[in-house]
Amino acid sequence: MDAVYLHGPGDLRVDTVEQHDVATGTIAVDIEYTGICGSDLHEYEVGPVPIRAEATGHSIPESEWDEYLPKPMGHEIAGTVSDVGENVDDVQVGDRVTLNMVSSCHNCRYCAAGKYHLCERGDGGVVSSRGFADRIVVPSSMAVHVPDEVSLRHAALAEPLGVSLRGVRRSGLDPTDRIAVFGAGPIGLGVVAGAAAAGAREIYVSEPRATRREAAKALGADVVIDPTAVDAVEKIQRETDRVDVSFECAGTATTLTDALRSTAYGETVVVLSVFEEEVPIHPNDIMQAEREIVGSFGFQGGPLVSQSEFATALDLIADGRIDPEPMITETVSLDAVESAFESLRDPETDQIKVLAEP
Ligand SMILES: [Zn+2]
Ligand SMILES: [Zn+2]
């Protein structure tokens, strides 16, 4: 079958590979949709990125890439179960599923505490998962059933929405809070939708691209700002006396500082972005204002997935509190995945979430 692999920075190919057979405890899923994730784009740009590779801060040294390349791509997967191995009782052929790809060792201190997404030896979901392909074989424990009300097209967004919902959860948001979201890519838009579902009092969004500002409005933003035309920090300070929570969802030095300075003293900035490099901030923006910076990574997974932000995303779509449709701008064949990556990397792009449809 065909499957999309990363061979190096900027080098994505459709390779012909063997299909895997199901083994004990695994299932085969015929893939209907796989979303292109921001983390896929980062890897496409800079090479394989195990997110917490402490040695280098952000990426594997080029000398070690051979170990990781070619790397299969695609982890935001929805499809139908087409085969089950021995000892699988909770999943049947024909079930509609999406996949929780958080991998964990079940041995480290984080797994012992149920924080599987922080597993020392896992990678928080950015696993070598072969999702841009016709079919994938995974442990049955990764399957999350898709409610009848949710299309597989929308189920493919459960993974990024789970990431966004975790950020909202980490923020401690309550209905009296005004919030600001910096960056309206899929994660920022999911934060908007999640914060709206959580009853945020007022939602500001700063985003340079018009299509993304429109999507933010459709998902629940009250005020959208084009930071190339207006000073977002000044406007937010003037209109809200600074927000109660801000969310950094763009991964740049500017948006991180803007998020800090838009946030009221003593309040919280949640960082959800993958940064491609170190960025400077002024520590006095934290110290003098007693602001807190909170990290948010992936979503609870492993055996806890049914209670996690991932499953919550499916429930919120099922009951209509989140409609992810405004985030989906295109569906493409496997052959067009690389050009979709290229267009998503273009700072002027009108694309938001592109789904591959193998
Ligand atoms: Zn993702
Ligand atoms: Zn672990």
Side-chain angles (χ1 to χ4, degrees):
M1 66 172 185
D2 289 341
V4 174
Y5 279 74
L6 181 71
H7 286 258
D11 183 4
L12 212 56
R13 301 180 204 166
V14 181
D15 292 340
T16 303
V17 296
E18 294 283 314
Q19 280 197 359
H20 299 142
D21 289 325
V22 290
T24 302
T26 70
I27 57 171
V29 176
D30 285 352
I31 297 173
E32 201 90 19
Y33 295 101
T34 299
I36 299 176
C37 180
S39 66
D40 296 329
L41 299 175
H42 291 297
E43 292 203 307
Y44 177 68
E45 186 78 4
V46 299
V49 181
I51 287 178
R52 281 170 293 159
E54 248 101 34
T56 56
H58 72 283
S59 64
I60 299 172
E62 198 170 342
S63 57
E64 289 172 25
W65 281 357
D66 280 357
E67 255 183 73
Y68 295 88
L69 296 172
K71 178 187 181 297
M73 300 287 275
H75 60 268
E76 300 180 355
I77 301 165
T80 306
V81 176
S82 56
D83 201 1
V84 299
E86 311 252 318
N87 290 344
V88 174
D89 13 295
D90 44 350
V91 183
Q92 289 170 347
V93 170
D95 286 357
R96 298 158 73 244
V97 295
T98 177
L99 301 178
N100 148 45
M101 303 304 283
V102 173
S103 66
S104 34
C105 75
H106 301 276
N107 248 330
C108 71
R109 64 181 290 181
Y110 307 105
C111 287
K115 298 177 180 178
Y116 300 101
H117 63 297
L118 299 180
C119 173
E120 270 172 7
R121 274 181 278 156
D123 49 18
V126 192
V127 290
S128 291
S129 125
R130 198 164 74 180
F132 299 126
D134 289 330
R135 169 184 143 113
I136 188 168
V137 173
V138 294
S140 65
S141 58
M142 286 184 170
V144 180
H145 285 97
V146 176
D148 290 344
E149 302 85 349
V150 180
S151 64
L152 288 176
R153 175 183 166 89
H154 288 174
L157 275 83
E159 200 267 0
L161 281 170
V163 172
S164 301
L165 290 177
R166 179 151 190 88
V168 174
R169 195 179 204 182
R170 294 275 294 153
S171 76
L173 175 72
D174 77 47
T176 64
D177 288 341
R178 292 191 169 96
I179 72 161
V181 179
F182 291 84
I187 298 302
L189 290 171
V191 168
V192 170
R201 179 176 168 197
E202 199 170 24
I203 301 173
Y204 279 71
V205 173
S206 174
E207 162 60 50
R209 283 171 259 188
T211 39
R212 293 182 177 209
R213 290 197 301 275
E214 283 307 309
K217 274 193 193 159
L219 289 160
D222 299 292
V223 181
V224 294
I225 302 168
D226 174 0
T228 62
V230 173
D231 182 334
V233 175
E234 192 275 327
K235 181 176 168 71
I236 290 168
Q237 283 182 2
R238 180 162 36 81
E239 294 184 7
T240 69
D241 197 16
R242 294 193 172 91
V243 291
D244 303 287
V245 183
S246 65
F247 296 87
E248 199 295 308
C249 304
T252 71
T254 311
T255 46
L256 182 54
T257 290
D258 285 358
L260 277 163
R261 295 181 180 168
S262 300
T263 302
Y265 303 156
E267 302 295 346
T268 303
V269 176
V270 183
V271 177
L272 288 107
S273 299
V274 176
F275 285 74
E276 284 179 2
E277 57 192 6
E278 290 182 28
V279 298
I281 55 170
H282 203 312
N284 290 353
D285 283 332
I286 303 164
M287 183 277 290
Q288 281 181 319
E290 295 194 345
R291 294 183 177 107
E292 294 183 31
I293 297 183
V294 170
S296 184
F297 181 63
F299 45 82
Q300 287 182 312
L304 290 180
V305 72
S306 64
Q307 296 150 50
S308 79
E309 300 87 356
F310 187 102
T312 305
L314 289 168
D315 285 348
L316 291 174
I317 299 171
D319 71 15
R321 282 191 283 170
I322 290 181
D323 172 11
E325 192 56 34
M327 294 166 63
I328 304 170
T329 46
E330 197 180 5
T331 56
V332 298
S333 66
L334 291 186
D335 288 333
V337 165
E338 179 159 28
S339 59
F341 270 57
E342 283 293 336
S343 75
L344 284 163
R345 291 292 308 175
D346 177 355
E348 306 287 308
T349 188
D350 281 337
Q351 299 284 18
I352 303 175
K353 175 62 76 181
V354 177
L355 301 178
E357 198 178 356

